Coordinates of all heavy atoms in Angstrom, one line a residue:
M24 N 26.6 -31.0 182.1 CA 27.9 -30.6 182.5 C 29.1 -31.3 181.7 O 28.9 -32.5 181.2 CB 28.1 -31.2 183.9 CG 29.5 -30.9 184.5 SD 29.7 -31.4 186.2 CE 28.7 -30.5 187.1
N25 N 30.1 -30.5 181.3 CA 31.1 -31.2 180.6 C 32.1 -32.0 181.3 O 32.6 -31.4 182.4 CB 31.8 -30.0 179.7 CG 33.0 -30.4 178.8 OD1 33.2 -31.6 178.8 ND2 33.6 -29.4 178.3
N26 N 32.3 -33.2 181.0 CA 33.2 -34.1 181.8 C 34.5 -34.2 181.2 O 35.3 -35.2 181.5 CB 32.5 -35.4 182.0 CG 31.3 -35.3 183.0 OD1 31.2 -34.3 183.8 ND2 30.4 -36.3 182.8
K27 N 34.9 -33.5 180.1 CA 36.1 -33.7 179.4 C 37.3 -32.9 180.1 O 37.1 -31.6 180.3 CB 36.0 -33.1 178.0 CG 37.1 -33.5 177.2 CD 36.8 -33.1 175.7 CE 38.0 -33.5 174.8 NZ 37.8 -33.0 173.3
I28 N 38.2 -33.7 180.5 CA 39.5 -33.1 181.2 C 40.6 -33.1 180.1 O 40.9 -34.0 179.5 CB 40.0 -34.0 182.4 CG1 38.7 -34.1 183.4 CG2 41.0 -33.3 183.1 CD1 38.0 -32.9 183.9
E29 N 41.2 -31.9 179.9 CA 42.2 -31.8 178.9 C 43.4 -31.0 179.5 O 43.3 -30.3 180.5 CB 41.7 -30.9 177.8 CG 40.6 -31.6 177.0 CD 40.2 -30.7 175.9 OE1 39.6 -29.6 176.1 OE2 40.4 -31.0 174.7
F31 N 46.1 -31.9 181.3 CA 46.3 -32.1 182.8 C 47.8 -32.3 182.9 O 48.4 -33.3 182.2 CB 45.5 -33.5 183.3 CG 45.5 -33.8 184.6 CD1 44.6 -33.1 185.5 CD2 46.4 -34.6 185.2 CE1 44.6 -33.4 186.8 CE2 46.4 -34.9 186.5 CZ 45.6 -34.3 187.4
K83 N 29.0 -32.0 193.9 CA 29.9 -32.7 192.9 C 30.9 -31.8 192.4 O 30.7 -30.8 191.8 CB 28.9 -33.2 191.7 CG 29.7 -34.1 190.7 CD 28.6 -34.4 189.5 CE 29.4 -35.2 188.5 NZ 28.4 -35.6 187.4
Q84 N 32.2 -32.2 192.7 CA 33.3 -31.4 192.2 C 34.5 -32.2 191.5 O 34.7 -33.3 191.9 CB 33.9 -30.7 193.4 CG 33.0 -29.6 194.1 CD 33.9 -28.9 195.0 OE1 34.5 -28.0 194.6 NE2 33.5 -29.0 196.3
F85 N 35.0 -31.6 190.6 CA 36.3 -32.2 190.0 C 37.5 -32.0 191.1 O 37.6 -30.8 191.4 CB 36.8 -31.6 188.6 CG 37.9 -32.0 188.1 CD1 38.1 -33.3 187.7 CD2 39.0 -31.2 188.1 CE1 39.4 -33.8 187.2 CE2 40.3 -31.5 187.6 CZ 40.4 -32.9 187.2
R86 N 38.1 -33.1 191.4 CA 39.3 -32.9 192.3 C 40.7 -33.5 191.6 O 40.6 -34.7 191.5 CB 39.0 -33.8 193.6 CG 37.9 -33.2 194.4 CD 38.3 -31.8 195.0 NE 37.4 -31.3 196.0 CZ 37.5 -30.1 196.5 NH1 38.4 -29.3 196.2 NH2 36.6 -29.7 197.3
P87 N 41.4 -32.6 191.2 CA 42.6 -32.9 190.5 C 43.4 -34.0 191.2 O 44.0 -34.8 190.5 CB 43.4 -31.7 190.3 CG 42.4 -30.5 190.4 CD 41.4 -31.1 191.2
A88 N 43.5 -33.9 192.6 CA 44.3 -34.8 193.2 C 43.8 -36.3 193.2 O 44.5 -37.3 193.0 CB 44.4 -34.6 194.7
V89 N 42.5 -36.4 193.1 CA 41.7 -37.7 192.9 C 41.9 -38.2 191.5 O 42.4 -39.3 191.2 CB 40.2 -37.6 193.1 CG1 39.5 -38.9 192.9 CG2 40.1 -37.3 194.6
Y90 N 41.9 -37.3 190.5 CA 42.1 -37.7 189.1 C 43.5 -38.1 188.9 O 43.9 -39.0 188.0 CB 41.7 -36.5 188.4 CG 41.7 -36.7 186.8 CD1 40.8 -37.3 186.1 CD2 42.8 -36.1 186.0 CE1 40.8 -37.5 184.7 CE2 43.0 -36.3 184.6 CZ 41.9 -36.9 184.1 OH 42.0 -37.2 182.7
L91 N 44.4 -37.4 189.6 CA 45.9 -37.8 189.5 C 46.0 -39.2 189.6 O 47.0 -39.9 189.1 CB 46.7 -36.9 190.3 CG 48.1 -37.3 190.6 CD1 49.0 -37.0 189.3 CD2 48.7 -36.4 191.7
D93 N 43.7 -41.7 189.7 CA 42.8 -42.7 189.0 C 41.9 -41.9 188.0 O 41.0 -41.2 188.3 CB 41.9 -43.4 190.0 CG 40.9 -44.4 189.3 OD1 40.9 -44.4 188.0 OD2 40.4 -45.2 189.9
E94 N 42.4 -41.9 186.7 CA 41.7 -40.9 185.7 C 40.4 -41.3 185.4 O 39.6 -40.6 184.8 CB 42.7 -40.9 184.4 CG 43.9 -40.2 184.6 CD 44.8 -40.3 183.4 OE1 44.2 -40.4 182.2 OE2 45.8 -39.7 183.3
S95 N 39.8 -42.5 186.0 CA 38.5 -42.7 185.8 C 37.6 -42.1 186.8 O 36.3 -42.1 186.6 CB 38.3 -44.2 185.9 OG 38.4 -44.7 187.2
K96 N 38.3 -41.6 187.8 CA 37.4 -40.9 188.9 C 37.6 -39.3 188.5 O 38.5 -38.7 189.0 CB 38.0 -41.1 190.2 CG 38.2 -42.6 190.5 CD 36.9 -43.1 191.0 CE 37.0 -44.5 191.6 NZ 37.2 -45.6 190.7
K97 N 36.6 -38.7 187.8 CA 36.7 -37.4 187.4 C 36.1 -36.5 188.6 O 36.3 -35.3 188.5 CB 36.1 -37.1 186.2 CG 36.8 -37.7 185.0 CD 36.2 -37.5 183.6 CE 37.0 -38.1 182.6 NZ 36.4 -38.0 181.2
F98 N 35.1 -37.0 189.3 CA 34.4 -36.1 190.2 C 34.3 -36.9 191.6 O 34.3 -38.0 191.7 CB 33.0 -35.8 189.6 CG 33.1 -35.0 188.5 CD1 33.1 -35.5 187.3 CD2 33.1 -33.6 188.5 CE1 33.0 -34.8 186.1 CE2 33.3 -32.8 187.3 CZ 33.1 -33.4 186.2
T99 N 34.1 -36.1 192.6 CA 33.9 -36.6 193.9 C 32.5 -36.0 194.4 O 32.1 -35.0 193.9 CB 34.9 -36.2 195.0 OG1 34.9 -34.8 195.0 CG2 36.2 -36.7 194.5
Y100 N 31.9 -36.8 195.2 CA 30.7 -36.3 195.9 C 31.0 -36.0 197.3 O 31.5 -36.9 198.1 CB 29.5 -37.2 195.7 CG 29.1 -37.4 194.4 CD1 29.7 -38.3 193.5 CD2 28.2 -36.6 193.7 CE1 29.4 -38.5 192.2 CE2 27.8 -36.6 192.5 CZ 28.5 -37.7 191.7 OH 28.0 -37.9 190.5
E101 N 30.8 -34.7 197.8 CA 31.3 -34.4 199.2 C 30.4 -33.4 199.7 O 29.3 -32.7 199.1 CB 32.7 -33.9 199.2 CG 32.9 -32.7 198.0 CD 34.3 -32.5 197.7 OE1 35.0 -33.3 197.0 OE2 34.8 -31.5 198.1

Side-chain angles (χ1 to χ4, degrees):
M24 177 185 292
N25 184 358
N26 291 333
K27 187 175 182 180
I28 306 300
E29 298 180 294
F31 191 85
K83 181 180 177 181
Q84 295 192 73
F85 174 68
R86 291 293 186 189
V89 174
Y90 184 77
L91 170 68
D93 184 346
E94 291 183 11
S95 72
K96 309 277 192 281
K97 292 184 180 172
F98 295 93
T99 61
Y100 295 90
E101 52 196 70

